[in-house]
Amino acid sequence: MSEEAMEWLDSLIKGLGISCAAGLWREDPVPDPYWVMEKSEDPPGSEDGLQECSILLTGTGKTLYRLEQDRERIRRLHESRGILGNGSGVALFYDGSIPVPVDQPNLQRLQVNLLMKEWRL
């Protein structure tokens, strides 16, 4: 994924009012809930310039209810599309969610899976 595509996704999520960081939350104070974004790219193998990337958003908070509210807002981004400044086309798809077990009392965790596609020129 291009840097522009990742910035596009970051702006979509933050535009929802969701606190999100790439890789690791580093700011203090830590909001409740907060989300961490990780990506896993498939190797380019398409003649049309398609690059696919799985995005994992892991939310951590005090209540599952707040995490589910954020999940629903993220789900509404399904099939978001855009043309980036570098000329690439991007599309975002919701790919489900799953609760993640946590060994700490009073903490809940939820993983949201997204699929992002970018067509580079």
Side-chain angles (χ1 to χ4, degrees), residues 6-70:
M6 295 307 295
E7 288 172 356
W8 175 79
L9 175 60
D10 187 60
S11 69
L12 281 178
I13 292 170
K14 288 182 178 172
L16 297 172
I18 293 174
S19 300
C20 186
L24 181 66
W25 192 268
R26 299 180 192 271
E27 296 178 21
D28 196 30
V30 177
D32 178 38
Y34 70 94
W35 293 79
V36 174
M37 181 187 324
E38 300 172 88
K39 69 175 185 163
S40 173
E41 291 184 33
D42 292 336
S46 176
E47 292 180 8
D48 64 358
L50 173 63
Q51 171 93 41
E52 293 187 338
C53 182
S54 296
I55 306 291
L56 304 178
L57 291 171
T58 304
T60 303
K62 294 178 183 174
T63 67
L64 190 56
Y65 177 73
R66 290 280 313 275
L67 293 168
E68 287 289 350
Q69 286 179 318
D70 282 357

